[in-house]
Coordinates of all heavy atoms in Angstrom, one line a residue:
E1529 N 30.9 -2.3 26.5 CA 31.2 -2.0 27.8 C 29.9 -2.1 28.7 O 28.8 -1.6 28.1 CB 31.7 -0.5 27.7 CG 33.0 -0.3 27.0 CD 33.4 1.0 27.1 OE1 32.9 1.9 27.9 OE2 34.3 1.6 26.3
I1582 N 6.2 3.7 38.7 CA 7.0 4.2 37.5 C 8.0 5.2 38.0 O 7.7 6.0 38.8 CB 5.9 4.9 36.6 CG1 4.8 4.0 36.1 CG2 6.6 5.7 35.4 CD1 3.7 4.7 35.3
L1650 N -7.1 10.9 33.7 CA -7.5 11.5 32.5 C -8.8 10.8 31.8 O -9.7 11.4 31.3 CB -6.4 11.5 31.5 CG -6.5 12.3 30.1 CD1 -6.8 13.7 30.4 CD2 -5.3 11.9 29.3
K1729 N 12.6 24.3 8.9 CA 12.7 24.9 10.1 C 11.3 25.6 10.4 O 10.5 26.1 9.6 CB 13.6 26.2 9.9 CG 13.8 27.1 11.1 CD 14.8 28.1 10.9 CE 15.0 29.0 12.2 NZ 16.1 30.0 12.0
V1739 N 1.4 6.8 11.3 CA 1.3 5.5 10.8 C 1.3 4.6 12.0 O 2.1 4.6 13.0 CB 2.7 5.0 9.9 CG1 2.4 3.7 9.4 CG2 2.7 6.2 8.8
H1891 N -22.5 -9.2 1.8 CA -23.6 -8.1 1.6 C -24.0 -8.1 0.0 O -25.0 -8.1 -0.3 CB -23.1 -6.9 2.1 CG -23.2 -6.7 3.5 ND1 -24.2 -6.9 4.3 CD2 -22.2 -6.3 4.4 CE1 -24.1 -6.7 5.5 NE2 -22.9 -6.2 5.6
G1978 N -11.2 13.6 -9.6 CA -10.4 14.3 -8.5 C -10.2 15.7 -8.9 O -10.3 16.7 -8.0

Side-chain angles (χ1 to χ4, degrees):
E1529 298 179 14
I1582 297 173
L1650 192 61
K1729 185 175 181 179
V1739 183
H1891 283 307

